[in-house]
Amino acid sequence: MTIETFANPWPSREDVRITSVRAIATAPDGIALVVVRVDTNVPGLYGLGCATFTQRWKAVVSFVNDHLARLLTGRYPGDIGDLTRLAGFTGYWRGGPVTNNAISGIDQALWDIAGKRAGMPVHELLGGKVRAAADTYLHAAGREIGEVIEDAQRLIERGQRHVRLQMSTPGGGGYGAPSVPTEYPDAPYRNGWSARDYLRRTPALFEAARDKLPDHVELLHDVHSRLTPKEAVWLARALEPYRLFFLEDVLAPEHWDRLPEVRAASPVPIAVGELTTSLQDAVRLVRDGGVDFIRSHVSDIGGLTAARKVADLAELCGVRTAWHGPGDTSPIGAAANVALDVTSAAFGIQEGHVYGDNVHEVFPGTLRIEDGWLRPNEAPGWGIDIDEAAAARFPAELSGHDAWAAGVRRPDGALEAP
């Protein structure tokens, strides 16, 4: 679509209406992605939005197709705030990741339409750039210290200045790293994961990293919500000599009320928010002093409109953003992240993901990390399309990834956080 498509006279409010709303599920890299397409009665004018909740993607598809489509068809697509509130309030019981991902798909698709109507990229509609690009971090992992360091060195050679380090812990609980055999063969749950082992091994990883990796490279680590408040403080203090950029998700959401005390005792910046499932969850983390970085998954809190509010609050509170952006974020969601990154003074860092060739085929215009940097497209809207014929060749299927957390248990058999 070109700017000339909608050259003057512009279609008026009365002349533009939503004609259909539908969810498209596809898995070009083996991870289920959900994108919402909103069509209008203006030929060629449609929008795309990210609604990816990989673990419950079918529920999101049904929410969009069976409920929101009927609600929104016939309405004016320019009333973004009103339509997203309508989508959230009409179910009476509201909130949660299924609802908010469905709303996010609508929200981001409407922003895409708005950009195309205006002939501007979304970041210009948000007020324009305050930086040229977003710095990113990627993930390095391995079974033991040497493998992690080698993986990190490969990323640094590609231009990364920030690298997250994850190492296997016996029992399969070393998040983001391969599983390795248990050290508890006689325990009730012989493939159990032990927090004590994790706390013992992790500082050794970062000691080696600081010795082997260039000093200017920033190091990050994800706990993945598995520690008690006291364990989180112990780990943060043990990692102090290695100057981490941040320590991520130290507590489970059930214990986020303890984050202010953990943050106060931690010499390492604390990044939390990946498991926020509402705008209000994210606001409380920022407002109540629990985080140095807010890490919400944008579609889980309701989309671009909600995330803008979080970014504005973060700026006022001296908190920085680090939006969640792994492979279960669609390219549209990644574009929304970057639009927020380049337009917000609160930006801290952006989690990056290197999409495979199949994703680029299904989503023409998908952003690419170059020398560690992500730059938004300058085309109207997101500058990203979807090839539905290509998407159909990679159908989303129910798989182990939809219940990937089920196998993490402690040696005594108690179920652990994902």
Side-chain angles (χ1 to χ4, degrees), residues 31 53 65 84 149 152-153 201 214 237 268 299 342 377 384 399 416:
I31 300 172
F53 177 21
N65 292 345
T84 53
I149 301 301
Q153 288 170 332
R201 292 167 183 265
R237 290 178 174 172
V268 176
S299 65
V342 299
N377 290 325
I384 300 174
S399 66
E416 190 48 80

Side-chain angles (χ1 to χ4, degrees), residues 229-259:
K230 289 296 185 183
E231 288 170 339
V233 171
W234 188 95
L235 178 62
R237 290 178 174 172
L239 293 174
E240 180 179 9
Y242 314 119
R243 309 184 310 279
L244 269 65
F245 187 77
F246 68 53
L247 185 61
E248 179 185 343
D249 283 345
V250 291
L251 303 182
E254 295 81 6
H255 306 301
W256 281 352
D257 61 312
R258 304 285 301 276
L259 278 170

